[in-house]
Amino acid sequence: LYAPDLPGFGATPPPPPVWNVHDYAAFVIAYLDAHDLARVHLIGHSFGGRLGLVLGADHADRFDKIALFDSAGVRSPTPVSQRLRLSVYRGLRDGLARLGARRLSDDLRAWYNQRYGSVDYQQAGALRETFVQVVSEDLLPVAARVSRPTLLLWGDQDEDTPLWQGQLLEQTIPDAGLVTFPGAGHYSYLERLAEAVRIVDHFFRPSDH
């Protein structure tokens, strides 16, 4: 079992430039090459699920089967009020910058991010710009190109990546199935660890056994 810390996670330093999901996918492929792993099964959770969609679409020859827990990658609709608020904020921020009031523009940016930025955004630190790049991409079109057998496992009480996103991925990925864990949240694999291990083990088992 190989469990790499991606750049910016665990003990691995953040990537030098701003990265998107495809940059992280390239890192994983380089990691497989460095360990002489020609073809493997893949397990991903949340951001790892987002990454798994790209890998299963663009690098399918390197994977046998894919299991994704509470995967990110499907964008939730943005309420009209939120879109309007963001539009007004960007207009004010950019207008102040054009007028030469750079400090006021920066202060407005800091206030807005503190007031309306998500917890993940607030905690991203050096990865903040990478975080924006990653979460801004809707991977549903990518999911439609995943060509490996894919098992989706989901907590039906997940508030970070709601169950409807898993159901939509099941409909979009050509060869996919969805298992739900009643009462579990975003970390369903921890809340239902024994079941999760049993299900994934069965899924990865060679078909002739």
Side-chain angles (χ1 to χ4, degrees), residues 27 36-37 52 54-56 75 103 106 122 160 170 179 188 190:
F27 171 87
D36 296 321
L37 298 170
V54 173
L55 291 168
R75 292 185 64 179
R103 182 172 180 178
D106 291 343
Q122 300 290 353
D160 296 300
E170 182 188 23
V179 174
S188 61
L190 291 178

Side-chain angles (χ1 to χ4, degrees), residues 145-167:
R145 297 191 290 106
V146 173
S147 58
R148 305 310 305 154
T150 303
L151 179 63
L152 305 166
L153 304 101
W154 231 273
D156 69 356
Q157 301 302 307
D158 187 344
E159 296 182 357
D160 296 300
T161 53
L163 179 58
W164 68 263
Q165 296 184 1
Q167 294 167 336

